[in-house]
Amino acid sequence: MALLLLCFLSLTEGRDLLVGGKTDAWKIPSSESDSLNKWSERSRFVIGDSLVWKYDSSKDSVLEVSKKDYETCNTSKPIAEYKDGNTKVELHRSGPFYFISGAHDHCQQGQKLTVVVISPRHHHMISSAPAPSPAEFEGPAVAPASSAAGLRGGLVVAVGVLGGLVLM
């Protein structure tokens, strides 16, 4: 029980997340697979987390913008503008956040980021989600059987696989 409480508390604390997972990620992507949105899609963001950008402040900036300005790469009316080279933005609400580069034409070349923050309700559902189904784990394949003995044997293998997962 104490371990479960500790896990829950660690999930509710905000984290500082380096954008792109590395210090030089805020740049024009070299390919679609290098896009920061690929990193964002693989990450989970909760209220209280903070995004951290590292970049050369003499050449670039980070603009938080509306969805429309994100889609059109409009830099003229940002919600917030960051120019310090070591930007930290707290994700204070659930829903999408949109960021684009403030450098000329960088957004048009793909230097932008969308982050979706999950609500506390979804966060709770994720942290208390049931274990994945056994089909998601690799295990011994059970051949179909026409007799009750074969069915019982398959059930023993399935229970053995599940039992092993519970003990891990």
Side-chain angles (χ1 to χ4, degrees), residues 87-161:
T87 297
K88 182 175 177 178
V89 176
E90 183 179 346
L91 303 172
H92 60 279
R93 60 169 172 77
S94 61
F97 286 79
Y98 302 96
F99 302 96
I100 62 175
S101 170
H104 182 68
D105 283 337
H106 282 212
C107 177
Q108 289 85 343
Q109 296 178 61
Q111 188 178 346
K112 53 196 207 171
L113 170 66
T114 302
V115 169
V116 179
V117 178
I118 58 176
S119 71
R121 182 183 53 158
H122 288 115
H123 179 242
H124 174 70
M125 289 170 50
I126 290 166
S127 64
S128 62
S133 72
E136 294 176 273
F137 293 97
E138 291 185 27
V142 179
S146 59
S147 70
L151 183 59
R152 248 189 331 267
L155 183 58
V156 168
V157 170
V159 169
V161 168

Side-chain angles (χ1 to χ4, degrees), residues 10-140:
S10 68
L11 288 173
T12 59
E13 293 176 11
R15 305 166 293 165
D16 287 356
L17 302 163
L18 190 59
V19 170
K22 54 188 177 182
T23 56
D24 64 344
W26 191 238
K27 62 183 178 184
I28 297 169
S30 57
S31 67
E32 180 65 29
S33 63
D34 193 34
S35 160
L36 287 175
N37 286 329
K38 295 292 183 188
W39 168 78
S40 175
E41 290 167 5
R42 292 187 311 267
S43 303
R44 188 169 312 273
F45 305 95
V46 297
I47 295 172
D49 284 350
S50 294
L51 298 177
V52 178
W53 283 263
K54 306 278 186 183
Y55 55 93
D56 182 345
S57 62
S58 68
K59 297 179 181 177
D60 210 343
S61 62
V62 176
L63 306 179
E64 182 179 348
V65 295
S66 68
K67 180 179 182 180
K68 181 180 177 187
D69 288 345
Y70 175 88
E71 291 169 347
T72 60
C73 291
N74 181 1
T75 61
S76 67
K77 51 183 181 185
I79 295 167
E81 183 174 21
Y82 307 96
K83 301 178 179 183
D84 62 357
N86 187 22
T87 297
K88 182 175 177 178
V89 176
E90 183 179 346
L91 303 172
H92 60 279
R93 60 169 172 77
S94 61
F97 286 79
Y98 302 96
F99 302 96
I100 62 175
S101 170
H104 182 68
D105 283 337
H106 282 212
C107 177
Q108 289 85 343
Q109 296 178 61
Q111 188 178 346
K112 53 196 207 171
L113 170 66
T114 302
V115 169
V116 179
V117 178
I118 58 176
S119 71
R121 182 183 53 158
H122 288 115
H123 179 242
H124 174 70
M125 289 170 50
I126 290 166
S127 64
S128 62
S133 72
E136 294 176 273
F137 293 97
E138 291 185 27

